[in-house]
């Protein structure tokens, strides 16, 4: 019978530090040196490990190098786990960090069962993530560009006296501003406006690309079903499907809420129970989409024509869940608001319950293999 050896990999752009841990509590932990981060080097590494009559199981931290190494090792027939850096136990008194120590730590913890693998997307899933995250970066760039234009105007004593910014009236006010004294100052003003328009066009292009990509995606049915929920458009539904992946891996809605990082933190001991702010330990982009969707539940429940049009073809069971979500979450928003709770806290509570309805819909939708 082959002996299992646990392999910890500290992965960087150019190199991989390799360490192994033998089976058993007192099994030897060895450092095997540093190899190049290339397909040929990884193939030679696996052959060396197998040559000793062992069966290696690999693990490494998720990071900027992506999932290429995981796919390569899986293709070669080996078990490989990708673990979240935030979930790795670390000693408070450990002040020395090197590639060797990191690789040995991963091998030791992997042998002890202290590491929890994350769900790894396939290439199609990662491509959709890249598209959605590019849109997110464009939105952040748009926010910065608008702040830069407002700061430019404020420095020159030009203030908009209405509460709503970036409306048609606001843009008309911007376009009708007097010319600046110096030509290069006027050029700077025009460039700031032009930057905003260019980024908005880029976001429109990315939104259309998401609409087109979803049609042939294996999660297309899930995206379509989630759009039955109020406040969940195609972009939000596609973001949730891309970031979460296979929702069936969550056995109950509380696990999904915890994955979003929408559950309260807790520090309890003995008879004392202390709960604080939400953990924010999950996916930040998916959590942002959930809070964005929860805004729509501040209005009374109703099914308007655009909502009915996009959900008319869905099974009655899913439409009933969506309506139940409306009636419950709209009431939840009103009840919490009446108690005087801050609006961000109210929206977070609504988003947390919305995750439960998303889980309920997702488990009723078959995913194409």
């Amino acid at each position: 019978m082959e002996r299992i050896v646990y392999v910890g990999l500290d992965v960087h752009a150019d190199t991989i530090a390799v360490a192994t841990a033998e089976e058993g509590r007192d099994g030897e932990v060895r450092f095997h040196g540093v190899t190049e981060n290339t397909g040929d080097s990884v193939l030679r590494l696996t052959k060396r490990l197998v040559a000793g009559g062992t069966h290696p199981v690999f693990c490494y931290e998720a990071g900027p190098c992506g999932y290429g190494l995981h796919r390569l090792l899986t293709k070669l027939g080996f078990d490989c786990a990708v673990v979240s850096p935030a979930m790795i136990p670390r000693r408070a008194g450990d002040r020395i960090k090197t590639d060797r120590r990191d690789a040995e730590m991963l091998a030791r913890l992997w042998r002890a069962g202290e590491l929890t693998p994350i769900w790894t997307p396939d290439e199609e899933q990662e491509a959709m993530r890249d598209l959605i995250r590019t849109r997110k970066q464009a939105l952040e760039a748009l926010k910065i560009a608008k702040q830069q234009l407002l700061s430019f105007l404020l420095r020159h004593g030009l203030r908009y006296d209405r509460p709503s910014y970036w409306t048609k009236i606001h843009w008309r006010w911007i376009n009708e501003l007097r010319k600046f004294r110096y030509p290069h100052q006027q050029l700077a003003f025009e460039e700031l406006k032009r930057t905003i328009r260019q980024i908005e066009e880029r976001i429109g292009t990315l939104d259309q690309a998401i609409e087109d990509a979803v049609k042939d995606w294996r999660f297309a049915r899930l995206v379509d079903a989630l759009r039955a929920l109020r406040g969940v458009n195609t972009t939000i539904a596609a973001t949730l499907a891309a970031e979460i992946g296979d929702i069936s891996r969550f056995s109950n809605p509380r696990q999904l809420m915890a994955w979003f990082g929408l559950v309260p933190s807790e520090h309890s001991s003995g008879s004392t129970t202390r709960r604080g702010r939400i953990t924010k330990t999950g996916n930040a982009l998916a959590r942002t989409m959930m809070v964005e969707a929860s805004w729509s539940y501040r209005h009374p429940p109703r099914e308007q024509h655009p909502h009915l049009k996009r959900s008319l073809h869905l099974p009655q069971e899913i439409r009933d869940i969506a309506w139940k979500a409306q009636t419950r979450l709209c009431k939840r928003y009103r009840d919490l608001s009446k108690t005087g709770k801050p609006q961000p806290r109210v929206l977070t509570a609504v988003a947390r319950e919305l995750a439960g309805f998303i889980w309920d819909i997702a488990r009723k939708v078959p995913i194409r293999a």
Side-chain angles (χ1 to χ4, degrees), residues 94-203:
D94 193 353
R95 304 298 185 195
I96 301 176
K97 184 183 186 303
T98 64
D99 293 348
R100 173 173 180 166
R101 290 172 69 95
D102 286 347
E104 291 176 349
M105 174 194 66
L106 285 172
R108 191 180 294 109
L109 292 174
W110 187 222
R111 178 183 63 186
E114 295 293 329
L115 299 178
T116 303
I118 64 173
W119 183 82
T120 51
D122 56 22
E123 293 185 25
E124 183 188 25
Q125 187 87 1
E126 194 169 16
M128 182 63 75
R129 281 188 179 183
D130 290 338
L131 178 60
I132 287 170
R133 292 177 182 182
T134 300
R135 180 185 181 275
K136 173 180 176 288
Q137 293 167 357
L139 288 173
E140 292 172 349
L142 178 62
K143 180 180 178 180
I144 293 173
K146 288 180 176 180
Q147 290 174 340
Q148 289 173 340
L149 178 56
L150 293 178
S151 298
F152 178 87
L153 297 177
L154 183 60
R155 287 198 303 271
H156 296 87
L158 300 171
R159 301 178 182 177
Y160 186 63
D161 56 1
R162 297 197 180 195
S164 299
Y165 286 73
W166 310 113
T167 60
K168 291 183 179 180
I169 298 175
H170 183 216
W171 270 112
R172 188 182 307 136
W173 174 81
I174 292 175
N175 293 326
E176 292 175 353
L177 288 175
R178 59 177 174 79
K179 292 185 177 180
F180 292 90
R181 180 177 179 182
Y182 299 99
H184 44 274
Q185 203 171 43
Q186 182 69 30
L187 177 63
F189 175 57
E190 295 299 331
E191 283 293 335
L192 288 171
K193 291 194 297 181
R194 187 165 176 266
T195 300
I196 293 175
R197 290 194 293 267
Q198 288 177 334
I199 298 175
E200 288 178 339
E201 291 176 2
R202 193 191 316 161
I203 292 173

Side-chain angles (χ1 to χ4, degrees), residues 225 315 317-318 321 358-366:
E317 185 180 23
I318 292 178
I321 295 173
I358 288 175
W359 177 86
D360 196 16
I361 288 179
R363 69 193 183 98
K364 292 177 171 58
V365 178

Side-chain angles (χ1 to χ4, degrees), residues 341-357:
K341 294 185 179 297
Q343 192 175 57
R345 189 174 296 179
V346 175
L347 292 173
T348 300
V350 172
R352 181 166 54 247
E353 293 200 22
L354 178 61
F357 290 102

Side-chain angles (χ1 to χ4, degrees), residues 55-70:
H55 176 69
V57 289
F58 298 85
C59 77
Y60 69 95
E61 295 183 52
C65 295
Y67 303 102
L69 179 59
H70 172 270

